[in-house]
Amino acid sequence: MLFRSREMAARMEETPLGPALLLIVPEHMTYKAERKLAALVAGRGTMRGQVFGFRRLAWRLHQEAGQAARPRLTAVGQRLILKKILSQQAGKLTALARAAEQRGFTASLADAIKELKSYGGTPEALYEAADAVGAGYLHQKLTDIAVLYEAFQEETVGRYEDAEDRMALLAEAIPASSFFWGAEVWLDGFVFFNPLEQRVLRAIFQTAARVHITLPLDPNMTERPSLLFYRAQKTLAVLQKVAEGAGIGWSVRALSAPRRFFAAGIGALEARLFAFPVEKSRESAGVRVVEAATRRLEIEAAAAAILRLCREGGLRYRDVGILLREPEANYQIGRASCRERV
């Protein structure tokens, strides 16, 4: 992200006035990206450069067009509506009749509806799929989901809008917005784009002057499949297909050196993770290997390290992350032990 911010800062220094320079990042990263950009152009201003998430960008285009946004449907509001629908449609349910009475079912149903919206699924398509599979449990389940999804749409369309509705409106608003005419756009922090986001990207490709998308991908594996970078490779192929479908030329630019690691040891570990034969690295800054006799001692060592970093190293607890390749049950045990120690 810092690399993209530097590119934007360089553009603003060369030409302070002109078409917009837009950095689009995931919603939770917008504040951090704005701070980095502001630090890079301190004293010079950011009239051209702006940072958005997809939702914030949709709100910005709504404001530009003078359209009044419908009330936003939160996750809690969505579950309340689904609870009401379940009580109304209880007599029509078959396969999901017992599940609908269980606690937490509305949350699972809300996730399913979100997924269907993101991938362009409709109640009609679910009914057709149910007819295609014939009689049986799958037919009943698809029909139940279609009934609930259809009732949810009847309850919300034209009255409320959720994040997926705003994305659909954003895809329609971009081509008509002067905000993107001649703009240069950077997208960073994304590894995957669902079909709804791909619609937004297609609209950006067709409207903006230039678009740059950063992916965490080994430059030597852009053509050869790799299990480690499979998702990013698949996303790159999807983006190329979207650009070709929009009639837009594209090219792949590989960075000459890693720019994401502040500690030399982490960068060396990443570069040689799958290298063979194994070679000892002289770079070790940022890497510490600890061997513990038992799982509990391992957890206690991690908790002690976190405490030391936060009390003496100037970090905050939110700056610390734990990656654990273990079953969920073991993770719960580890988390409880860390809580006791901290």
Side-chain angles (χ1 to χ4, degrees):
M1 186 189 305
L2 183 59
F3 175 65
R4 292 308 186 190
S5 299
R6 285 172 178 167
E7 282 190 333
M8 292 180 66
R11 297 280 199 283
M12 287 185 282
E13 188 173 356
E14 293 171 3
T15 312
L17 300 177
L21 303 174
L22 309 177
L23 175 60
I24 301 176
V25 296
E27 300 293 336
H28 65 278
M29 297 171 62
T30 53
Y31 176 69
K32 184 177 181 180
E34 282 183 319
R35 288 199 60 181
K36 285 185 177 180
L37 184 60
L40 290 171
V41 296
R44 299 191 300 274
T46 59
M47 292 187 66
R48 294 183 65 191
Q50 299 186 55
V51 180
F52 292 99
F54 279 124
R55 297 178 188 175
R56 187 175 170 192
L57 181 60
W59 178 84
R60 170 68 170 76
L61 296 189
H62 269 300
Q63 294 293 104
E64 182 188 70
Q67 299 175 351
R70 291 189 291 270
R72 181 171 174 266
L73 187 60
T74 64
V76 175
Q78 193 175 27
R79 293 177 190 178
L80 289 173
I81 290 176
L82 288 174
K83 189 171 184 62
K84 172 186 172 183
I85 290 171
L86 286 171
S87 64
Q88 295 173 342
Q89 304 292 332
K92 298 181 181 179
L93 301 181
T94 53
L96 298 180
R98 292 183 63 184
E101 299 175 358
Q102 296 178 1
R103 184 177 181 181
F105 179 75
T106 53
S108 300
L109 183 59
D111 290 340
I113 290 175
K114 178 181 179 179
E115 197 82 2
L116 286 166
K117 283 189 172 185
S118 297
Y119 283 82
T122 62
E124 293 75 18
L126 290 174
Y127 283 125
E128 291 177 5
D131 293 337
V133 299
Y137 179 77
L138 182 57
H139 170 86
Q140 295 175 350
K141 190 172 183 178
L142 288 172
T143 302
D144 287 354
I145 296 174
V147 167
L148 297 173
Y149 186 16
E150 187 175 33
F152 179 79
Q153 285 192 325
E154 291 175 356
E155 189 74 25
T156 59
V157 169
R159 299 177 59 191
Y160 308 101
E161 62 181 27
D162 55 20
E164 287 66 43
D165 295 329
R166 291 195 175 186
M167 287 294 291
L169 293 172
L170 176 60
E172 298 173 1
I174 287 174
S177 171
S178 59
F179 191 54
F180 278 87
W181 295 350
E184 190 168 1
V185 183
W186 288 264
L187 288 98
D188 201 354
F190 298 95
V191 180
F192 169 78
F193 297 98
N194 63 42
L196 197 53
E197 292 167 340
Q198 291 171 29
R199 285 179 55 192
V200 175
L201 289 177
R202 185 178 293 107
I204 293 175
F205 289 165
Q206 294 174 329
T207 310
R210 298 183 68 185
V211 180
H212 313 270
I213 301 178
T214 303
L215 292 174
L217 183 64
D218 188 336
N220 299 318
M221 295 184 179
T222 53
E223 299 297 334
R224 296 182 288 112
S226 166
L227 186 61
L228 182 62
F229 297 100
Y230 174 76
R231 195 171 194 187
Q233 285 176 315
K234 187 174 180 180
T235 300
L236 177 60
V238 168
L239 292 173
Q240 292 170 348
K241 187 175 181 181
V242 171
E244 290 171 353
I248 305 297
W250 54 268
S251 62
V252 178
R253 174 190 175 192
L255 299 181
S256 58
R259 300 174 184 266
R260 58 182 296 189
F261 302 113
F262 294 99
I266 300 294
L269 180 64
E270 186 269 344
R272 298 174 184 153
L273 187 60
F274 295 100
F276 186 83
V278 178
E279 297 180 5
K280 185 176 180 180
S281 174
R282 296 182 180 179
E283 301 289 350
S284 60
V287 178
R288 182 184 177 193
V289 180
V290 179
E291 183 179 5
T294 65
R295 185 179 300 278
R296 177 170 290 278
L297 291 176
E298 181 182 1
I299 293 169
E300 290 181 355
I306 292 171
L307 282 174
R308 183 179 64 256
L309 289 171
C310 294
R311 291 177 179 177
E312 303 172 8
L315 296 182
R316 302 176 68 177
Y317 287 120
R318 69 180 186 183
D319 299 325
V320 180
I322 299 176
L323 301 180
L324 181 64
R325 299 185 66 178
E326 292 290 342
E328 180 68 19
N330 291 336
Y331 169 71
Q332 296 293 344
I333 293 173
R335 186 172 62 178
S337 298
C338 282
R339 265 205 312 267
E340 292 172 4
R341 181 64 183 270
V342 171

